């Protein structure tokens, strides 16, 4: 994690969800908006069984100077930190839950107050940010696929499209919000 | 705002919402759970008119050594920073929108990663945290009441109960997540 006093390379915000829905493409002309959903279990199963395991929402922002060599450590930390609650109230990692993951690019997390406005001077540039974000998503998918518990449970990684408005609906049993800097 | 390098006294996380619903008392025996809701307009009106102005969700966490003299500056910043979007896409403060406010105590925001666990050693003590939280809520209410635009629009401050699980449902047109430290 970033040592206090040093400018971080990346900031991640974690919230637990029972269900989350994110628009990945806005409506345009005749084409309806496209969405991804993260639920604790397949929707039908959930409707009938009421089973509620949690998923993890990861909001992520990269700063100027962020190095892609940071990404494996970052993904390793985020997927292994014990912040997901089992049905018996124990905290385990999202890999151990196992649960779904929704990744949301959130450049606003890099803002600093200046008077009554926010400034984003420390944020990574657009292309560089997109590249880091894409690799971050790929690495998360890879980790999930390589985890036998996750593969067996059929959990997935969904993610927002970089640079778009992140239209989000979130249903939680307590967001249990955590900030982790790298 | 907290200068970089110095431990903050408080951390606030802001998300914009179209609608938010928070449980303020869990179900107990025969008593149903109690909830507060924040919508952009009275629910019925919203159902029929489709009007959607935004509200602001403020997650707040206090650290050891936080001084209540911090609170007026903190409230002033949070209510005046221009992070709320009007229907024409302009960013104004929540007071100028005007919009409703939902305050959520979120001690987890003070956590630090240690191995695979989070530690909360820097968080304010429970009594001290409750006192700061209560005063923070009161000050927000006072500011809203003193603002003629808010008073006229009938917007409100709702808030979670300190120390409880914050069961939250959030509906956004983009959470537009910002972190502000004090």
């Amino acid at each position: 994690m970033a040592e206090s006093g040093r400018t971080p390379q990346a900031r991640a915000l974690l919230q637990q969800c029972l269900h989350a829905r994110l628009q990945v493409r806005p409506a345009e002309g005749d084409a309806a908006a496209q969405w991804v959903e993260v639920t604790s279990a397949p929707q039908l199963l959930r409707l009938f069984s009421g089973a509620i395991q949690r998923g993890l929402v990861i909001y992520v922002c990269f700063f100027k100077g962020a190095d892609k060599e940071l990404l494996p450590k970052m993904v390793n930390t985020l997927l292994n930190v014990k912040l997901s609650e089992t049905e018996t109230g124990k905290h385990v990692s999202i890999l151990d839950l196992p649960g779904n993951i929704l990744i949301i690019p959130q450049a606003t997390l890099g803002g600093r107050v200046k008077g009554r406005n926010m400034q984003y001077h420390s944020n990574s540039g657009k292309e560089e940010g997109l590249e880091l974000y894409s690799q971050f998503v790929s690495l998360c998918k890879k980790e999930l696929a390589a985890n036998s518990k996750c593969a067996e449970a059929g959990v997935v990684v969904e993610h927002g499209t970089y640079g778009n408005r992140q239209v989000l609906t979130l249903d939680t049993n307590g967001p249990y919000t955590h900030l982790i800097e790298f």
Side-chain angles (χ1 to χ4, degrees), chain A residues 61-77:
Chain A
C61 168
F62 293 98
F63 291 98
K64 271 196 185 95
D67 190 318
K68 66 180 181 186
E69 287 179 25
L70 168 78
L71 297 174
K73 186 192 163 191
M74 192 174 165
V75 169
N76 182 54
T77 299

Side-chain angles (χ1 to χ4, degrees), chain A residues 68-142:
Chain A
K68 66 180 181 186
E69 287 179 25
L70 168 78
L71 297 174
K73 186 192 163 191
M74 192 174 165
V75 169
N76 182 54
T77 299
L78 297 176
L79 302 195
N80 285 293
V81 65
K82 297 179 183 175
L83 291 180
S84 296
E85 195 181 11
T86 65
E87 286 181 36
T88 57
K90 197 183 152 197
H91 283 98
V92 300
S93 73
I94 191 68
L95 292 177
D96 278 340
L97 191 56
N100 298 292
I101 297 174
L102 176 61
I103 305 170
I104 305 181
Q106 193 80 161
T108 52
L109 266 180
R112 273 179 192 229
V113 181
K114 172 86 176 180
R116 294 183 60 195
N117 297 298
M118 297 301 290
Q119 292 185 334
Y120 305 91
H121 298 327
S122 305
N123 281 38
S124 67
K126 223 168 174 178
E127 281 182 34
E128 178 189 336
L130 170 58
E131 178 63 23
L132 288 161
Y133 176 70
S134 305
Q135 290 200 23
F136 176 79
V137 170
S138 299
L139 267 179
C140 286
K141 287 187 174 177
K142 209 167 140 187

Side-chain angles (χ1 to χ4, degrees), chain A residues 4-5 28 40 42 49-50 52 59 77 101 104 119 121-122 130 145 150 160 164 171:
Chain A
S4 138
E28 207 182 323
S40 48
S49 72
I52 42 165
Y59 306 82
T77 299
I101 297 174
I104 305 181
Q119 292 185 334
H121 298 327
S122 305
L130 170 58
C150 289
N164 267 4
D171 185 8

Side-chain angles (χ1 to χ4, degrees), chain A residues 154-169:
Chain A
V155 294
V156 293
V157 176
E158 298 285 3
H159 63 95
T161 42
Y162 191 85
N164 267 4
R165 178 184 284 267
Q166 305 298 321
V167 178
L168 171 73
T169 301

